[in-house]
Amino acid sequence: MNICVLGTGYVGLVTGVVLANQGHYVICVDQNADKVKSLSAGKPCIYEPGLEPLMNKALKSHTIRFTQDLAHGVKSSDIIFICVGTPQNEDGSVDMTQYQEVLTDVIHALNEPKIIVNKSTVPVGTAKWAQEYIKQIRPGMPCEVVSNPEFLQEGRALQNTLHPDRIIIGAKSLNAIMAMTKVYDKLEAPIEVCSVESAELIKYASNSFLATKISFVNWLAQMSEYYGADVTEVTKGMGSDHRIGHEFLNAGIGYGGSCFPKDVSAAIHMSDSAFIDCGILKSVRDINRYMPKLYMSLIEEELCGLQGRNITVWGLSFKPGTDDTRDSQAIKFINLLLERDANVTAYDPVATLETGLIKQSKNIYDSADGADAICLLTEWPEFMNTDTSDIFEQMRNPVFLDARNVMDSEKLKQQGWTYLSLGRLH
């Protein structure tokens, strides 16, 4: 099939590359000329394991190409995927500016009826609104707007797309359902067909529930700390119940990224707009916002203040496997350090920050030189596999804050470290 993908961020680029390698002909459109040039040369503008070789395979087979020409992409395709950003407004609602601008351009470029797919995360009711919007501008152009939400995890986005748990298709007509089924016919995954509104809500429901599990376990870590339990033992026992499972039961500094924070806020805003109580989600959000401050209190108390202290931060990205620092709890923690006049040195295997307020090391050993404490904020495998006995010798004060509960606490203590965490037996 001929497919146009509008937007080449994490969702759009991964979707386009995978579909191109499934035998479809894909045109990816982006307004950024430098980005289009880089992608056309086989260089992704995001870090995602396995993406670059698969993209170059599609380029060599001429099943994918990149352009700024939206009208050409629309006219040349049967199905149009909208994969643009839908960021958060200050009140928690979704900023639909990019989406509406792109949809308007698509409508004006239409040369025949198309299937328009909302891949971007949009509020419930967007497809219905878009359908009416098309009728207003092009009354003689009967296009169908479909909801096909993404469930990608940055760092595992390629595998999530190649081997999805399920594919959700929200559509009204049999024609649209059959066309979307054909798009994904080479992926071995169950396809669930539902109403457009249900598909739109499924995305918010999924992310809000996962965020709830994370905040729940971080509340549990605080309970474990107070009552002398070990949160890792508690979650192991909980997760063994098949109704609960082990996924997203890792206590730590909290969730971040481009999805969970804004999707939880959007769900709260939609619920408030409908006058439906959503105290549980507000608590999920509040607990997550509190976690960096709670971990900060541990290191501040141990060092009797942070002014002038040399603090090493391991991890900048919101999770391992990505260079994305959007809404990263690590960045929030660093800002708290800076507010307390600490000297911050950071190291991340992939991610960087464009700021002169902190020092950024190129390797893990340099980052710890002369430090008063190390704060592990992103659970990159490199950190767990590092010889901490060598790092110990470089420290001014051997204090280790494990804000992801991933280090071997007994090993660190045997080496002489002061080990700090939340909810683990020390």
Side-chain angles (χ1 to χ4, degrees), residues 270-317:
M270 285 188 287
S271 184
D272 285 345
S273 298
F275 303 102
I276 297 171
D277 179 71
C278 61
I280 186 171
L281 285 187
K282 290 178 181 178
S283 294
V284 166
R285 181 187 60 187
D286 292 345
I287 289 171
N288 198 63
R289 288 175 175 175
Y290 176 60
M291 294 311 295
K293 298 176 185 177
L294 184 55
Y295 275 94
M296 175 62 61
S297 69
L298 297 179
I299 196 76
E300 194 168 26
E301 181 180 351
E302 178 63 34
L303 295 177
C304 299
L306 291 168
Q307 185 175 14
R309 293 288 193 174
N310 298 326
I311 308 298
T312 294
V313 167
W314 283 358
L316 295 170
S317 58

Side-chain angles (χ1 to χ4, degrees), residues 214-238 249-252 291 294-295 298 405 421-426:
I214 294 171
S215 284
F216 178 86
V217 78
N218 284 334
W219 163 79
L220 196 59
Q222 296 173 62
M223 293 287 286
S224 298
E225 184 76 18
Y226 184 85
Y227 286 105
D230 190 318
V231 71
T232 59
E233 295 175 348
V234 175
T235 53
K236 182 180 179 181
M238 285 176 60
L249 278 185
N250 300 314
M291 294 311 295
L294 184 55
Y295 275 94
L298 297 179
N405 284 334
S421 66
L422 186 69
R424 295 180 73 177
L425 293 175
H426 305 313

Side-chain angles (χ1 to χ4, degrees), residues 84 86 94 96 119-123 150 203-204 259 262-263:
V84 297
T86 51
V94 180
M96 297 293 286
K119 199 75 173 172
S120 298
T121 302
V122 293
E150 52 84 15
K203 176 60 185 289
Y204 287 105
C259 291
K262 78 177 184 71
D263 288 355

Side-chain angles (χ1 to χ4, degrees), residues 107 110-114 131 134-135 138-144:
I107 295 169
L110 290 169
N111 57 333
E112 60 184 359
K114 312 276 185 179
Q131 201 82 58
I134 295 169
K135 290 180 182 179
R138 300 288 296 276
M141 191 65 70
C143 296
E144 181 166 353

Side-chain angles (χ1 to χ4, degrees), residues 36-48:
V36 169
K37 183 178 179 181
S38 176
L39 292 169
S40 298
K43 296 294 181 183
C45 300
I46 58 172
Y47 176 80
E48 188 63 42

